[in-house]
Amino acid sequence: MIYYIDPLNKESIEKNCPSFYDIHIFDILDSTNTWLQEHSGLTEGTVILADEQTRGRGRNGRCFHSPKGSGIYCSLLLTPQENLLDVLECTAMAAVACIKAIEEQYNLACSIKWLNDILLDQKKLAGILCEGKLYQNHMEYLIIGIGINVHSFIRPKELESIAASIEDYTAIKKPRNELIAKFLTAFYSYYSKSDDFRSLYRQRLAFVQKTIQVITPQETYSAILLGVDDRCRLKIQKADGSIDYLSSGEISIRL
């Protein structure tokens, strides 16, 4: 369900974000992340946008519903030269940049469900998928995929209670190009270290002091979410009172 025509436009985005980026727009792709993985040799800062995805991907093999003209389906190529913790930190940077862009554009206060979901009214508004290739002690490349539900759309039955769009919560209608440019600008300020993202990340972290389920490939257990450390690892307190820090896995509030 689209209420007005909102085309993606390369020139409109590029004139409002840093020259670091090289924007490419497609009408339809299976997945923007997959496209970047299949095209080697591109420069850092390459951004792939699709108006529609037929096989949008989330974490752990999940699907990200990506109807035509309704959302932002974007992948960004990075070549960080530091250690593996950059994967976690870049995910956090993308989450904070997404929240900052939405708040500036629509005056909506979102929260972050560690590790990679953006929530509004405890419904999923956006998701982040980071995928990379490790070479020796650093990442050869890192692809940050982000999907943001912008315009209202008819949700599949399985998403009705868990997914939302920006337009569900505001009457403000603005071009997706503006939100994309704001996101890319905010992300670059964090990635280039000209601005720090950690304070806002902590402010927007959901479920602090709540009992959560921690889900890993090996086990699922209950813990209290205490916050995140400076490396964006999740700080939790286990049932036996011990403190642990997580750099992978996922959490659930549904006990």
Side-chain angles (χ1 to χ4, degrees), residues 28-47:
I28 186 169
L29 290 175
D30 56 354
S31 159
T32 55
N33 267 33
T34 299
W35 192 96
L36 270 180
Q37 288 176 332
E38 293 174 347
H39 292 77
S40 61
L42 297 171
T43 59
E44 183 175 47
T46 296
V47 174

Side-chain angles (χ1 to χ4, degrees), residues 1-214:
M1 183 188 305
I2 307 297
Y3 290 103
Y4 69 103
I5 303 301
D6 182 17
L8 298 175
N9 183 272
K10 171 184 172 75
E11 290 73 23
S12 176
I13 298 168
E14 287 184 335
K15 74 178 183 182
N16 289 300
C17 67
S19 58
F20 171 75
Y21 297 110
D22 180 19
I23 311 290
H24 300 266
I25 296 175
F26 296 84
D27 288 335
I28 186 169
L29 290 175
D30 56 354
S31 159
T32 55
N33 267 33
T34 299
W35 192 96
L36 270 180
Q37 288 176 332
E38 293 174 347
H39 292 77
S40 61
L42 297 171
T43 59
E44 183 175 47
T46 296
V47 174
I48 303 302
L49 290 157
D51 197 43
E52 178 183 1
Q53 292 183 126
T54 57
R55 296 180 182 177
R57 295 188 289 115
R59 293 185 73 230
N60 299 321
R62 298 187 184 99
C63 173
F64 189 89
H65 188 59
S66 312
K68 181 176 178 60
S70 295
I72 293 169
Y73 318 123
C74 170
S75 292
L76 165 62
L77 178 65
L78 302 174
T79 56
Q81 298 301 309
E82 300 178 28
N83 59 39
L84 281 174
L85 289 173
D86 282 329
V87 176
L88 189 57
E89 291 183 4
C90 284
T91 302
M93 290 177 197
V96 174
C98 181
I99 278 183
K100 186 174 181 181
I102 291 170
E103 291 185 352
E104 287 181 358
Q105 188 84 332
Y106 297 98
N107 195 31
L108 295 172
C110 304
S111 60
I112 300 168
K113 175 176 173 274
W114 191 90
L115 167 68
N116 65 331
D117 288 344
I118 306 302
L119 305 181
L120 186 57
D121 193 28
Q122 296 199 18
K123 291 187 176 182
K124 184 172 178 176
L125 193 70
I128 300 162
L129 176 64
C130 286
E131 300 178 299
K133 182 178 179 181
L134 180 65
Y135 177 73
Q136 294 182 352
N137 198 35
H138 69 274
M139 299 302 297
E140 183 174 323
Y141 67 79
L142 180 64
I143 296 170
I144 299 183
I146 182 162
I148 307 174
N149 300 325
V150 180
H151 302 307
S152 293
F153 60 96
I154 298 174
R155 290 185 282 273
K157 187 174 182 179
E158 66 270 18
L159 298 180
E160 286 179 353
S161 64
I162 60 175
S165 67
I166 291 172
E167 212 172 66
D168 294 337
Y169 295 92
T170 179
I172 297 172
K173 298 183 188 299
K174 292 188 177 181
R176 287 176 294 167
N177 298 315
E178 293 183 11
L179 186 61
I180 294 165
K182 286 182 181 295
F183 165 75
L184 293 175
T185 299
F187 181 85
Y188 183 71
S189 73
Y190 303 136
Y191 186 65
S192 64
K193 304 187 188 305
S194 61
D195 199 3
D196 186 69
F197 62 93
R198 292 173 179 82
S199 176
L200 186 55
Y201 191 93
R202 291 189 173 100
Q203 291 174 26
R204 295 292 186 266
L205 184 65
F207 311 127
V208 176
Q209 297 299 326
K210 301 290 186 182
T211 300
I212 60 170
Q213 275 191 317
V214 177

